[in-house]
Amino acid sequence: MKIRIEIQYHIPKGLKTVLNTAFMSIEHAISLAEDLMKINRIKELTFFDSNESSWTLKEMKKYVESLKEEPYDVCLYFDGGFDHETWQSGLGCVIYYKQNEASYRIRKNALVDQLTSNNEAEYAALHFGLKQLEEMGVHHLPVTIKGDSKVVINQLTDEWPCLEETLSQWIDRIELLTDKLGVEPIYEVISRKKNQEADHLATQALREIEISSRSEG
């Protein structure tokens, strides 16, 4: 989550002005606020996120402490593959996150039927990954979502139109789930080379090799 600071600044002769910073990480915002509070002309600091929700410095510190108990700094990689011969789809997702000041990685895949194309498998893989976030208890956080499917990401960000009813239904499912979790998805198209881990999981699923693991580091 990115934060900006609104500063109530009192200048000589009783004049007042309001200053606003650019958006920055929570950690940087708190450090800056603590340094600014040393200036006796600053009367009030307020933190704002991109949704214009506001916090005091004390509230923001308390929020950061609460994050240590829950998953944060979440990054989800997804990939889906469709086998035209068997009409089965392999779904793979990798989730990197932090919790209690430690770093973790979840790897999971699934073999599913009833999908009809590779693009649909890609959408299903993203939805599968989001369901894992739901099970982890991820909520009300920005989540970076990376995949090599330009179709999926460009359609979800409205860069490309979606003219297929089946894919449009997957968009609805994904948006409904992100709204339910309260997460802010930050979509990023990456190369297949950078998505090898999720791709390998999807391929293993098509070979009926089930993977479900959580590791630290």
Side-chain angles (χ1 to χ4, degrees), residues 50 184 196:
S50 57
E184 176 189 347
Q196 286 182 346

Side-chain angles (χ1 to χ4, degrees), residues 77-83 86 88-94 106-113 115 117-118 120-126 128-129 147-149 192 195-212:
Y77 292 78
F78 72 94
D79 196 44
F82 178 71
D83 189 323
T86 64
Q88 290 183 311
S89 299
L91 315 180
C93 73
V94 185
I106 287 176
R107 299 167 65 244
K108 199 159 187 176
N109 66 2
L111 180 67
V112 299
D113 298 312
L115 304 182
S117 69
N118 193 72
E120 190 178 5
E122 293 277 11
Y123 270 107
L126 173 51
F128 174 70
D148 57 57
S149 173
R192 294 192 67 180
N195 203 34
Q196 286 182 346
E197 197 170 16
D199 174 73
H200 186 55
L201 286 167
T203 300
Q204 287 178 307
L206 286 171
R207 295 173 181 168
E208 300 187 14
I209 302 172
E210 184 179 354
I211 303 293
S212 181

